């Protein structure tokens, strides 16, 4: 029988005000699905992209919002044999609907959470942590010999990446917007924090590296940083463009990559690095192990009531948050 839930839905793209908190009937989980009661929900910049309509062609309206959370399994759909009622699971991906008290999730996206890990910590880390895991271990595997430039180093992904890259032993250059965020970046492991509002990061990277450039740039900022990021790379270096918080990137000439040093550019998606169940589980084991070992910690978690998701979005877009943002029912 259908279960009553409450969730944020939106029927048009736009500002945070398009999100509407409303009761809904939740059907029984279908084949291959599990039903969960949320304990904590992660908020990410992709939620803002979804709400704004950046990926409108992939998101039919009306829609829910949110793609990660932690919860307790309350019911199993037909064919689900690898989970039990009362299991605590985390998930990343599936149809957006995490901003809800209860929901159905594809069992293929669920991960058992180790008993030692706190639910709010996992919600603050799982998507961002899995993002960092694939970026630095599989997209461009970083070693202790590498020098790396990471934009938005005090943000949710940047803070986790800084901690993990520090553990690896790489030399890390991070860009941030303020003195306060520079301190956060350095505390998390950045060897050099460039305040891009005061300094030209391209010139500073050249100075720090003695003109050699870095092996890889991780860039989630987009329009404001892309062109200069290419100029920060050493010959045969790689620019990993995994977001565009400042706006879309202008078209570029592929031929220019040769003139700049036989550079590589990639636009990865976590969906393609976690689509295989075995790879997804291995990435989660790597992440959960790093959390348990104290290699990475949840960076400055900002916690809001689930019903205050509109406020959380406003404060994220105004850059009044740094680290991770979670919602708690």
């Amino acid at each position: 029988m259908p279960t009553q839930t409450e969730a944020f839905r939106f029927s048009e793209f736009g500002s945070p005000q398009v999100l509407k908190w409303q009761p809904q009937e939740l059907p029984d989980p279908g084949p291959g699905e599990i039903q969960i009661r949320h304990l904590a929900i992660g908020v990410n910049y992709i939620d803002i992209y979804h709400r704004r309509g950046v990926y409108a062609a992939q998101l039919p309206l009306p829609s829910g919002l949110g793609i990660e959370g932690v919860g307790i399994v309350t019911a199993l759909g037909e064919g689900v044999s690898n989970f039990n009622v009362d299991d605590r699971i985390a998930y990343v991906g599936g149809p957006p609907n995490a901003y809800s008290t209860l929901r159905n999730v594809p069992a293929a996206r669920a991960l058992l959470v180790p008993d030692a890990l706190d639910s709010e910590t996992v919600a603050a880390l799982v998507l961002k942590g899995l993002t960092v895991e694939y970026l630095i271990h599989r997209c461009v595997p970083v070693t202790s010999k590498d020098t790396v430039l990471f934009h938005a180093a005090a943000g949710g992904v940047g803070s986790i990446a800084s901690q993990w890259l520090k553990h690896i032993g790489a030399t890390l250059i991070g860009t941030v917007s303020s003195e306060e965020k520079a301190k956060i970046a350095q505390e998390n492991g950045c060897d050099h924090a460039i305040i891009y509002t005061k300094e030209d990061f391209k010139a500073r990277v050249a100075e720090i590296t003695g003109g050699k450039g870095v092996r890889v740039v991780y860039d989630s900022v987009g329009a404001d940083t892309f062109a200069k990021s290419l100029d920060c790379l050493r010959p045969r270096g790689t620019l990993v463009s995994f977001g565009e918080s400042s706006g879309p990137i202008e078209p570029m000439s592929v031929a220019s990559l040769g003139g700049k040093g036989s550079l590589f550019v990639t636009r990865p998606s976590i969906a393609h690095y976690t689509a295989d169940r075995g790879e997804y589980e291995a990435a989660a084991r790597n992440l959960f192990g790093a959390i348990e070992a104290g290699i990475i910690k949840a960076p400055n978690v900002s916690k809001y009531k689930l019903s205050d998701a509109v406020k959380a979005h406003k404060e994220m877009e105004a850059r009044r948050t740094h680290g991770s943002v979670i919602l708690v029912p």
Side-chain angles (χ1 to χ4, degrees), residues 283-296:
R285 285 194 298 271
N286 195 10
L287 172 63
F288 293 155
I291 299 170
E292 288 189 82
I295 294 168
I296 57 176

Side-chain angles (χ1 to χ4, degrees), residues 130-160:
L130 287 173
T131 298
V132 172
E133 194 280 336
Y134 90 77
L135 288 174
I136 70 174
H137 290 287
R138 292 183 284 142
C139 184
V140 181
V142 177
T143 73
S144 60
K145 297 179 181 178
D146 294 324
T147 300
V148 172
L149 173 62
F150 211 106
H151 288 300
V157 171
S159 294
I160 296 164

Side-chain angles (χ1 to χ4, degrees), residues 130-199:
L130 287 173
T131 298
V132 172
E133 194 280 336
Y134 90 77
L135 288 174
I136 70 174
H137 290 287
R138 292 183 284 142
C139 184
V140 181
V142 177
T143 73
S144 60
K145 297 179 181 178
D146 294 324
T147 300
V148 172
L149 173 62
F150 211 106
H151 288 300
V157 171
S159 294
I160 296 164
S162 296
Q163 295 174 59
W164 216 334
L165 288 165
K166 182 68 171 180
H167 176 74
I168 290 170
T171 299
L172 179 58
I173 305 168
T175 67
V176 295
S177 61
S178 67
E179 295 279 0
E180 178 191 7
K181 291 188 176 182
K183 183 179 178 182
I184 292 166
Q186 288 169 325
E187 288 173 349
N188 281 321
C190 280
D191 298 283
H192 308 275
I194 301 171
I195 304 173
Y196 66 81
T197 53
K198 297 182 178 180
E199 303 175 284

Side-chain angles (χ1 to χ4, degrees), residues 180-243:
E180 178 191 7
K181 291 188 176 182
K183 183 179 178 182
I184 292 166
Q186 288 169 325
E187 288 173 349
N188 281 321
C190 280
D191 298 283
H192 308 275
I194 301 171
I195 304 173
Y196 66 81
T197 53
K198 297 182 178 180
E199 303 175 284
D200 182 334
F201 73 80
K202 173 184 167 182
R204 282 288 289 126
V205 168
E207 180 184 341
I208 291 165
T209 63
K212 294 179 179 179
V214 300
R215 181 188 171 217
V216 56
V217 178
Y218 292 102
D219 186 358
S220 63
V221 177
D224 290 350
T225 52
F226 184 85
K228 283 187 176 181
S229 292
L230 286 174
D231 293 334
C232 291
L233 289 168
R234 75 183 193 192
R236 292 161 55 187
T238 302
L239 172 53
V240 180
S241 172
F242 67 103

Side-chain angles (χ1 to χ4, degrees), residues 2-252:
T3 303
Q4 198 71 13
T5 182
E6 291 182 293
F8 275 101
R9 304 281 293 173
F10 62 110
S11 300
E12 60 181 314
F13 299 117
S15 71
Q17 276 72 23
V18 302
L19 299 177
K20 305 300 180 186
W21 180 240
Q22 57 193 49
Q24 284 189 309
E25 279 198 347
L26 181 66
D28 292 338
E33 290 185 332
I34 59 175
Q35 190 168 99
I36 66 166
R37 173 176 55 82
H38 276 124
L39 300 173
I41 298 142
V43 180
N44 300 279
Y45 224 86
I46 194 170
D47 302 348
I48 292 172
Y49 293 159
H50 282 159
R51 192 203 74 225
R52 290 176 178 171
V54 174
Y55 304 121
Q58 304 166 26
L59 191 70
L61 297 179
S63 176
L65 197 64
I67 59 168
E68 71 163 330
V70 178
I72 298 294
V73 177
T74 58
L76 304 174
E78 181 184 346
V80 176
S81 59
N82 53 336
F83 295 101
N84 298 302
V85 170
D86 292 331
D87 280 348
R88 188 169 58 123
I89 64 97
Y91 67 90
V92 170
N97 201 25
Y99 293 16
S100 58
T101 52
L102 295 98
R103 71 164 298 184
N104 296 330
V105 178
R109 303 310 303 166
L111 301 159
L112 282 172
V113 176
D115 291 341
L117 300 183
D118 173 76
S119 296
E120 292 184 7
T121 297
V122 174
L125 286 172
V126 64
L127 175 56
K128 297 176 183 68
L130 287 173
T131 298
V132 172
E133 194 280 336
Y134 90 77
L135 288 174
I136 70 174
H137 290 287
R138 292 183 284 142
C139 184
V140 181
V142 177
T143 73
S144 60
K145 297 179 181 178
D146 294 324
T147 300
V148 172
L149 173 62
F150 211 106
H151 288 300
V157 171
S159 294
I160 296 164
S162 296
Q163 295 174 59
W164 216 334
L165 288 165
K166 182 68 171 180
H167 176 74
I168 290 170
T171 299
L172 179 58
I173 305 168
T175 67
V176 295
S177 61
S178 67
E179 295 279 0
E180 178 191 7
K181 291 188 176 182
K183 183 179 178 182
I184 292 166
Q186 288 169 325
E187 288 173 349
N188 281 321
C190 280
D191 298 283
H192 308 275
I194 301 171
I195 304 173
Y196 66 81
T197 53
K198 297 182 178 180
E199 303 175 284
D200 182 334
F201 73 80
K202 173 184 167 182
R204 282 288 289 126
V205 168
E207 180 184 341
I208 291 165
T209 63
K212 294 179 179 179
V214 300
R215 181 188 171 217
V216 56
V217 178
Y218 292 102
D219 186 358
S220 63
V221 177
D224 290 350
T225 52
F226 184 85
K228 283 187 176 181
S229 292
L230 286 174
D231 293 334
C232 291
L233 289 168
R234 75 183 193 192
R236 292 161 55 187
T238 302
L239 172 53
V240 180
S241 172
F242 67 103
E244 48 185 47
S245 60
S246 67
I249 297 162
E250 291 291 323
M252 60 169 289

